[in-house]
Amino acid sequence: MKILNPTMSFAPEKGKLAPRIETLEGKTIGFLWNAYPGGDRLLKRAEEIVSAKYRLKGMRRYTKSYLGEPAGKEILKKLASDCDVVSPR
Amino acid sequence: MSKPLTSEHIDVADDAAAMEYAWAHGWSDGLPIVPPTPERVAHFLDHAGLAPSQLVGEYRVRNRGITAEKVAINAVMAGCKAEYLPVVLAATEAVTDPAFRLNHIASTSSPWPAFIVNGPVTKAIGMNSGMYVLGPGNRANATIGRAISLVLANCMEAKPGGVQQGIMGNAARMGGMVVAEKDDTAWGPLSAARGFEAGANTVTGVSMWEGGPQQVVAFPAEHFPQGKQAEAFSAVLAEYLSDGYGGGGTDTVILSPIWHKVYLDEGWGRDDLRRYLESHVRTSVGRLKRRRRWIPGPGEQPTIAASAPLKPGDEERYYSPAREKEFDDGSGYERYSFRTAKRDSKERFLFAVAGGEAGQGQPFACIIRAYDAGEPVTKRIRLPGESR
């Protein structure tokens, strides 16, 4: 007899890595908070450490609307257009 | 059946070999499955009038689209009859709706959906809305729930080793937590409260958290003051509903017919109960501290008994929906609550009437506390011949 496979598998989307940067000097860093309690404090401390160590062009803050799903397209667009580097937590 | 089934066809020797194959390949929830032969699956799809490739559950956040064929295969495995498939399909639509935020079932705290079914279909397929409604014992209730569990495990990786990280698991998942509401509730069915027309066949998917449903019993009822029983009974519900993790999702309360009658006798409708609970369900700061859910303030240290020092007045100070602001120590990040946006609205509680009729002096209810992300979703059950 035959039986049918009940599972579905999905091929992950193929992406490619953005080119790595050589230094944080003069860069704009985007900090992405996943909205989980405490993460914002962690990122704030990260901002302090990084900005003390490098002369940054700027820092931007973003928050996901829900920790359990990927950041929305709007945030991803802004990260790509406004920032050189992204630091998520 | 004009359109072919495209799932992988696997040769097995017999039924026993089919069950072993399913166990060996992780298709099962631990119990034996009904072998999903092409004939059985085709029969289910023919009965529902669906093409195998029809998309049923589209969960765009993870770029997933579950087909009718896959739902039918899992429904066969679960032990469903073909006539149950429309209910399973509607439930799959409900939990893959973006508003449900299905990904929350990945949480270490093991939430899982529960479902309330309304409409003439419940009687037509022999669902249980009476005694022992949470099961087990009824084929429709049990296998519909199991089918949903298998669909999500096999097509959405909702299992350990997939996306689920639940530390303890959810004991109510195996039964599936599917209840039919009684169809003769004097204050109207849940489907009407959710905006559907009289006689609609619907499935409402809700989030079930904190280990599963919790029973509430309000007896001895003779100790409740006459003429104030509705309020007194509601106070008991509020006491139990306040005893949770302090989340803000939409909680579901299942009222037994005896309990429901208390409200009918005093002229309370759904909105009256909802309004009472909205103002009385609250968790004190003291309780949150003892449950270690309260983050210490600047300069405060946790104690053995509590996560932050207990102060005079903490038992009378209550958790506020605007609590996120308490955690805002000026980090500068925009604060969304990952709690559902609707928790302060009239969607804060859902009610359904189900359960046994005996026990005049022992009114029972059951509360299903929700995870605090996502909201209930109600979908129409499309019976054979009805358009999608």
Side-chain angles (χ1 to χ4, degrees):
Chain A
M1 62 187 270
K2 291 202 187 291
I3 56 174
L4 299 176
N5 188 324
T7 67
M8 292 184 91
S9 57
F10 296 82
E13 288 177 23
K14 288 209 180 338
K16 56 178 190 179
L17 275 183
R20 307 290 91 184
I21 58 164
E22 297 293 322
T23 174
L24 292 178
E25 294 283 338
K27 296 291 190 287
T28 300
I29 304 184
F31 291 88
L32 176 62
W33 177 33
N34 66 3
Y36 203 72
D40 54 335
R41 296 190 195 181
L42 183 75
L43 286 177
K44 186 183 176 199
R45 186 73 190 111
E47 289 175 19
E48 290 165 6
I49 293 170
V50 170
S51 57
K53 196 168 174 187
Y54 300 95
R55 279 182 314 248
L56 301 173
K57 184 177 177 194
M59 291 188 293
R60 306 269 165 114
R61 296 190 179 118
Y62 306 87
T63 307
K64 280 171 49 170
S65 60
Y66 171 49
L67 76 98
E69 290 171 351
K73 285 192 167 55
E74 307 309 319
I75 290 183
L76 295 178
K77 266 191 226 165
K78 283 188 197 154
L79 283 166
S81 66
D82 300 350
C83 307
D84 301 302
V85 179
V86 176
S87 174
R89 178 69 194 116
Chain B
M1 158 116 324
S2 52
K3 297 194 172 117
L5 302 170
T6 57
S7 298
E8 180 192 7
H9 289 53
I10 296 146
D11 280 306
V12 293
D14 51 27
D15 284 337
M19 292 183 209
E20 291 297 336
Y21 190 97
W23 271 313
H25 289 78
W27 297 354
S28 161
D29 49 13
L31 292 177
I33 51 93
V34 174
T37 62
E39 295 75 24
R40 288 184 177 128
V41 174
H43 169 62
F44 272 45
L45 290 169
D46 284 344
H47 183 84
L50 284 174
S53 58
Q54 169 85 37
L55 269 183
V56 174
E58 281 195 79
Y59 191 43
R60 295 200 185 96
V61 159
R62 290 179 57 201
N63 287 325
R64 298 289 172 103
I66 303 174
T67 61
E69 177 174 333
K70 290 299 182 184
V71 177
I73 295 171
N74 285 280
V76 167
M77 286 169 58
C80 289
K81 290 185 178 181
E83 65 212 51
Y84 303 169
L85 184 61
V87 182
V88 181
L89 292 167
T92 305
E93 283 181 51
V95 297
T96 52
D97 188 290
F100 194 80
R101 282 189 163 160
L102 181 61
N103 263 6
H104 80 263
I105 55 96
S107 168
T108 49
S109 57
S110 311
W112 191 251
F115 300 90
I116 297 123
V117 189
N118 282 111
V121 70
T122 61
K123 275 211 160 60
I125 64 174
M127 290 189 76
N128 183 18
S129 62
M131 185 186 294
Y132 226 63
V133 67
L134 302 183
N138 178 281
R139 181 177 179 179
N141 295 40
T143 61
I144 288 168
R146 191 183 181 210
I148 296 155
S149 177
L150 290 173
V151 166
L152 295 179
N154 287 323
C155 301
M156 202 64 84
E157 298 171 296
K159 57 185 175 184
V163 300
Q164 284 192 294
Q165 305 292 322
I167 301 300
M168 291 297 187
N170 194 316
R173 176 174 178 177
M174 193 58 111
M177 266 301 297
V178 176
V179 305
E181 185 176 34
K182 288 200 160 300
D183 59 4
D184 55 354
T185 56
W187 66 6
L190 174 61
S191 51
R194 299 286 292 164
F196 287 77
E197 76 281 5
N201 292 307
T202 63
V203 174
T204 299
V206 302
S207 173
M208 175 171 60
W209 200 28
E210 307 207 40
Q214 179 176 24
Q215 184 171 266
V216 179
V217 59
F219 75 98
E222 64 268 20
H223 286 196
F224 285 63
Q226 289 297 320
K228 298 283 270 177
Q229 290 203 338
E231 189 178 341
F233 275 58
S234 303
V236 176
L237 281 179
E239 171 67 22
Y240 277 82
L241 284 163
S242 298
D243 190 29
Y245 196 53
T250 299
D251 298 331
T252 301
V253 183
I254 301 177
L255 304 169
S256 67
I258 300 289
W259 192 304
H260 176 234
K261 188 171 182 303
V262 170
Y263 296 124
L264 298 180
D265 287 347
E266 292 192 24
W268 279 41
R270 286 177 185 273
D271 280 350
D272 297 299
L273 178 54
R274 173 187 53 78
R275 270 192 291 269
Y276 181 93
L277 293 178
E278 279 172 358
S279 57
H280 289 81
V281 172
R282 50 195 187 165
T283 310
S284 70
V285 171
R287 179 178 266 167
L288 286 169
K289 286 181 177 177
R290 287 194 304 278
R291 297 263 168 108
R292 312 202 83 84
R293 284 282 291 155
W294 194 266
I295 293 178
E300 289 189 329
Q301 291 296 320
T303 68
I304 296 292
S307 58
L310 289 162
K311 296 178 182 160
D314 273 351
E315 299 303 332
E316 285 76 45
R317 197 156 66 95
Y318 294 99
Y319 165 100
S320 156
R323 184 182 171 214
E324 299 304 317
K325 293 188 171 46
E326 308 242 10
F327 296 135
D328 188 352
D329 57 358
S331 68
Y333 281 81
E334 186 168 8
R335 313 191 75 80
Y336 301 102
S337 172
F338 61 78
R339 293 161 176 82
T340 175
K342 287 215 177 149
R343 67 187 177 147
D344 294 326
S345 78
K346 68 175 182 178
E347 306 288 341
R348 180 69 178 85
F349 299 98
L350 294 188
F351 309 110
V353 181
E357 309 252 3
Q360 187 69 32
Q362 296 187 22
F364 283 85
C366 165
I367 59 179
I368 302 170
R369 298 188 188 85
Y371 190 76
D372 52 6
E375 56 196 57
V377 175
T378 304
K379 295 290 183 187
R380 187 182 299 277
I381 300 167
R382 303 211 186 262
L383 298 178
E386 291 178 358
S387 59
R388 298 195 68 79

